[in-house]
Amino acid sequence: MTRDEETPMQDRGWWLGAALSGALVVMAGAFGAHALEGQLAPRLVAAFETGVRYQAWHTLALLAVLAWRATAPLAGQRLAMGLWAAGMGLFSGSLYAMALSGAGGLGMITPVGGVLLIAGWLALAGAVLRAPRR
């Protein structure tokens, strides 16, 4: 057994979630590029693509914070990741659902997700400000 197999993986659930989110980003991006073009109004395709883009960036941010936590865990990092996860679900999820269903009312959820994404970045800034200096 290697050392990696002996030690439980810190933040295993977060790593799994980020990996699955990354897979979803690729699938959604391919679906949007190949299946939706010409099938939906351009504004709905643009909304779907915005959801993909925001999910991709925040999935990368999750991975970066997870890697950072492996060497320097700070109070507030998990809060930031949780806010991003919820924000991606509401922001990107509502854009995906709106584009695919045409239900414009789902657009009311999108700003809530956006606020959660912003709150995640502010939580991360707070974690950095509270961190002890070396």
Side-chain angles (χ1 to χ4, degrees):
M1 201 179 264
T2 67
R3 180 171 184 252
D4 293 334
E5 292 171 330
E6 294 171 4
T7 307
M9 181 178 209
Q10 178 182 334
D11 294 323
R12 181 184 181 104
W14 283 108
W15 281 105
L16 178 61
L20 294 174
S21 181
L24 181 60
V25 163
V26 175
M27 291 186 288
F31 181 74
H34 300 292
L36 296 183
E37 285 292 333
Q39 301 299 313
L40 297 178
R43 69 177 183 77
L44 293 176
V45 173
F48 191 90
E49 290 171 348
T50 297
V52 172
R53 188 172 48 254
Y54 274 69
Q55 184 180 353
W57 282 112
H58 286 86
T59 297
L60 290 172
L62 276 173
L63 291 170
V65 171
L66 284 167
W68 179 26
R69 277 182 54 77
T71 59
L74 298 175
Q77 290 167 322
R78 278 195 159 158
L79 174 60
M81 295 187 309
L83 289 166
W84 288 336
M88 282 190 286
L90 293 176
F91 184 87
S92 295
S94 66
L95 290 176
Y96 298 153
M98 183 177 60
L100 296 174
S101 72
L106 293 170
M108 294 172 44
I109 298 169
T110 310
V112 175
V115 168
L116 292 172
L117 294 173
I118 293 166
W121 288 106
L122 294 174
L124 189 63
V128 171
L129 290 173
R130 286 188 310 273
R133 294 179 187 235
R134 291 187 180 187

